[in-house]
Amino acid sequence: MSIYLSNYWSLYSEFINVLKDLKYRDIPIALMTNFYQQINDELRSDMEQKDFKMKLKDSSIKGQNEIQPFFDKMIAPFKQPFKANLEGKILINLDYTRIPEKKLSDYFSRDHTIILSRSRASEYFGIPNVYVGNFKSDTRHMSEELITMATSILAQYEGHPAFSNPFFSQTFIKRIPGIVDAIETVSNLYDQISIATILIGTSEDVMSRSLAIVGAMKGIPCICLQHGILMGEEAFIPVFSSHVGVYGEYEKIWFETRGLEEKRIAVIGHPRYDEIFTSTRLSNHTFIEAYDLDPNKITLLLATGPKLDEKKIQTLITELVTNEEIQLIIKPHPWELSKKLISIYTDLENKYKSVHVIKDRKVDIRDLIIHSDGVIASLSTVALEGFLFNKPVFVYNFIQANREYDYYNSLENYIQNEPTELIKTVSLYFSSEKEKLNYEDVKSKFLLQSYKTEQSGKELTNLINQLINVRSE
């Protein structure tokens, strides 16, 4: 672990330990907050220092393999064994599950499935929809009591590196009403509708986490799908669902290293990628016209990401387009678009005729991938999708971060930290048949560990059926 992550888990466990008696419906409130969002830049900077841990008095996580067991121990007192419920519904939380409409229709029966959403629509994609607001009740009085208690507890830690940080403490306290509301809402839902199993797309948000944790109290199995490649560790662990559905063997080993039991990990891919193997896309002629491309040039899609080294990405783009055989389509990351941080790309677009920047957030990245001759991507899911579309993929690691990201490290020279080295690799690939054969070998080895499921929807429904029929853990 990096210094930051080691300190992160130490602080997280101290936070849980200090507030363990602050509960609603027997659930510790501290378990329900998305912890890393309580950390601002000032605290993050402190946590990157070796001596930070020395300031903590009540932390429990000392090693990487202790992460998940610590949280499992906190949930154990109220967790119940699975209960077979053949008549219950499969509940799919619409937020973050990202299952394509066709796959929902193909694999989930309207008679045995409900979708939970923030919409009052009667159905989604032919499946009955349940409006989450129908299960809310007034929890203001209890929230006020818990806020008073939390404020009193944290006030005892004057001088604490995190608890005395106003952003940290106030972010948590402000979330208490939403946490109580979510626990109560989900409890009411489970009391009113018989649920056999739960499907969520993340446990970062309070509603998804409540579905999993309150489900555990009721003996309802829950599967959390993997919502993207494992980059920010804090977004994937701890696991609050009974099971996780992961992309490949890489993730299985990753979770086991952090203490998650093997029996809770299912290598099933994700239904969102099934369409890659079957779907049709825009015609190439339409694509060329839409982006004013030269059909005689090599078209490379360059997908960006947040927190990149600006100088390196600028060098990469500039030196690539000096090659008259290449044209670039730049797809800024949604975060950059929302923050209006794309001037670095639009300035280059104004300067070079062969640079085209996609400013429309609704553009389907998969249309861009399938009609490009190659993909240049940051450490992101776009690179994985490029591999699955059988495109040559070149990965640049220009992220400024407080930890090492190793997901793409097996790509040999097809991942680079320096723009000039990556450009050499790209140029060699498009000029050498031998290099193309070498790439195929590297790609095949990578996908064996990272993704090899072509019918994830089928694998997922098989797993759900197994859990519905299980009688105890």
Side-chain angles (χ1 to χ4, degrees):
M1 281 193 291
S2 69
I3 293 170
Y4 172 79
L5 285 175
S6 178
N7 288 331
Y8 175 86
W9 293 114
S10 293
L11 176 61
Y12 199 166
S13 60
E14 176 148 304
F15 175 72
I16 299 288
N17 287 333
V18 165
L19 291 155
K20 63 181 182 297
D21 295 325
L22 187 76
K23 297 179 180 180
Y24 183 70
R25 284 186 173 258
D26 295 326
I27 299 172
I29 295 294
L31 276 178
M32 302 302 296
T33 181
N34 192 343
F35 186 70
Y36 72 80
Q37 293 179 347
Q38 296 178 194
I39 298 170
N40 63 359
D41 290 341
E42 178 189 356
L43 178 54
R44 187 177 294 107
S45 179
D46 290 343
M47 290 167 65
E48 290 170 358
Q49 309 306 313
K50 283 185 178 180
D51 63 350
F52 180 85
K53 201 177 295 185
M54 304 298 293
K55 304 171 187 176
L56 306 179
K57 306 298 182 186
D58 199 14
S59 62
S60 297
I61 299 174
K62 309 298 182 185
Q64 201 171 44
N65 64 334
E66 297 176 4
I67 296 172
Q68 187 62 37
F70 170 80
F71 292 92
D72 287 343
K73 185 179 178 181
M74 292 294 158
I75 293 171
F78 55 80
K79 182 181 177 182
Q80 294 296 314
F82 293 159
K83 297 169 184 173
N85 185 2
L86 299 179
E87 303 304 316
K89 302 285 189 181
I90 299 168
L91 183 149
I92 300 175
N93 188 29
L94 187 65
D95 288 344
Y96 311 110
T97 42
R98 299 179 181 175
I99 299 176
E101 176 182 345
K102 187 174 187 309
K103 293 302 169 187
L104 278 170
S105 303
D106 286 348
Y107 291 110
F108 295 95
S109 159
R110 66 173 290 116
D111 295 330
H112 300 104
T113 311
I114 60 170
I115 286 177
L116 179 69
S117 79
R118 290 173 285 180
S119 167
R120 295 179 185 270
S122 61
E123 62 177 45
Y124 268 106
F125 321 126
I127 297 173
N129 175 68
V130 172
Y131 170 52
V132 69
N134 288 341
F135 304 95
K136 290 182 180 290
S137 53
D138 189 351
T139 56
R140 285 175 294 180
H141 177 69
M142 195 61 207
S143 292
E144 289 168 4
E145 287 187 12
L146 289 166
I147 286 171
T148 301
M149 291 171 64
T151 303
S152 175
I153 292 168
L154 293 175
Q156 299 172 33
Y157 288 83
E158 187 177 347
H160 190 278
F163 302 165
S164 63
N165 177 304
F167 179 87
F168 180 94
S169 57
Q170 287 305 309
T171 299
F172 172 62
I173 288 167
K174 286 175 183 176
R175 286 180 173 177
I176 290 175
I179 290 169
V180 172
D181 179 66
I183 293 172
E184 184 68 18
T185 298
V186 171
S187 298
N188 292 338
L189 186 157
Y190 291 154
D191 286 343
Q192 295 175 41
I193 301 177
S194 178
I195 302 297
T197 191
I198 311 148
L199 184 62
I200 58 177
T202 180
S203 59
E204 290 183 88
D205 71 299
V206 68
M207 183 54 64
S208 297
R209 192 169 296 192
S210 297
L211 287 167
I213 289 182
V214 179
M217 298 178 78
K218 307 266 186 188
I220 307 172
C222 176
I223 302 166
C224 182
L225 296 176
Q226 184 178 332
H227 61 273
I229 65 167
L230 294 181
M231 289 291 291
E233 176 168 316
E234 308 91 316
F236 294 93
I237 192 114
V239 171
F240 294 100
S241 54
S242 63
H243 293 74
V244 287
V246 301
Y247 290 176
E249 291 297 320
Y250 172 91
E251 288 84 3
K252 184 172 182 286
I253 294 167
W254 188 93
F255 277 110
E256 287 179 334
T257 302
R258 288 155 181 80
L260 184 65
E261 295 175 289
E262 182 182 11
K263 67 181 182 180
R264 295 175 62 186
I265 308 168
V267 180
I268 59 172
H270 194 296
R272 68 187 286 208
Y273 299 119
D274 286 2
E275 291 186 337
I276 288 178
F277 305 102
T278 58
S279 64
T280 56
R281 296 274 159 178
L282 283 174
S283 71
N284 199 49
H285 176 73
T286 303
F287 180 78
I288 287 169
E289 280 196 346
Y291 297 107
D292 192 24
L293 299 173
D294 184 339
N296 299 311
K297 287 189 174 185
I298 296 168
T299 303
L300 298 179
L301 170 64
L302 192 150
T304 69
K307 299 182 181 179
L308 296 177
D309 184 313
E310 191 170 307
K311 185 177 180 182
K312 285 187 176 183
I313 194 70
Q314 193 166 26
T315 300
L316 176 65
I317 295 169
T318 303
E319 294 193 13
L320 276 170
V321 296
T322 57
N323 185 334
E324 293 183 357
E325 296 181 354
I326 290 175
Q327 57 192 346
L328 279 182
I329 296 175
I330 299 176
K331 177 65 175 71
H333 191 276
W335 180 84
E336 293 174 295
L337 287 167
S338 65
K339 300 289 184 181
K340 295 182 170 52
L341 297 174
I342 64 167
S343 60
I344 180 177
Y345 313 124
T346 53
D347 287 349
L348 290 166
E349 181 182 39
N350 292 333
K351 188 174 181 181
Y352 298 101
K353 189 175 184 299
S354 53
V355 173
H356 310 265
V357 180
I358 307 297
K359 305 171 190 74
D360 183 355
R361 295 185 67 176
K362 295 180 181 178
V363 169
D364 191 333
I365 187 72
R366 294 179 179 182
D367 283 329
L368 303 179
I369 293 172
I370 202 167
H371 292 295
S372 297
D373 298 304
V375 176
I376 301 174
S378 180
L379 306 177
S380 71
T381 307
V382 175
L384 175 62
E385 289 183 304
F387 284 113
L388 296 179
F389 271 114
N390 203 29
K391 297 290 181 176
V393 177
F394 311 92
V395 178
Y396 60 90
N397 184 0
F398 300 169
I399 293 178
Q400 300 171 315
N402 52 22
R403 83 282 305 271
E404 174 70 23
Y405 298 114
D406 65 359
Y407 183 75
Y408 290 111
N409 281 5
S410 63
L411 294 180
E412 299 179 7
N413 59 312
Y414 301 101
I415 177 169
Q416 295 289 347
N417 299 323
E418 297 299 329
T420 52
E421 294 303 312
L422 190 68
I423 291 165
K424 286 179 187 176
T425 303
V426 172
S427 300
L428 183 60
Y429 175 87
F430 285 104
S431 62
S432 166
E433 292 302 317
K434 182 180 177 182
E435 188 65 21
K436 289 176 182 176
L437 289 173
N438 180 64
Y439 170 81
E440 289 299 320
D441 183 54
V442 171
K443 179 192 74 174
S444 296
K445 288 177 182 175
F446 169 76
L447 287 177
L448 275 175
Q449 288 298 304
S450 301
Y451 203 99
K452 55 183 181 180
T453 306
E454 293 192 12
Q455 293 187 332
S456 174
K458 186 176 180 180
E459 296 289 339
L460 174 59
T461 51
N462 287 343
L463 176 59
I464 289 171
N465 289 334
Q466 290 171 23
L467 294 178
I468 287 174
N469 285 281
V470 77
R471 296 203 173 273
S472 64
E473 286 187 88

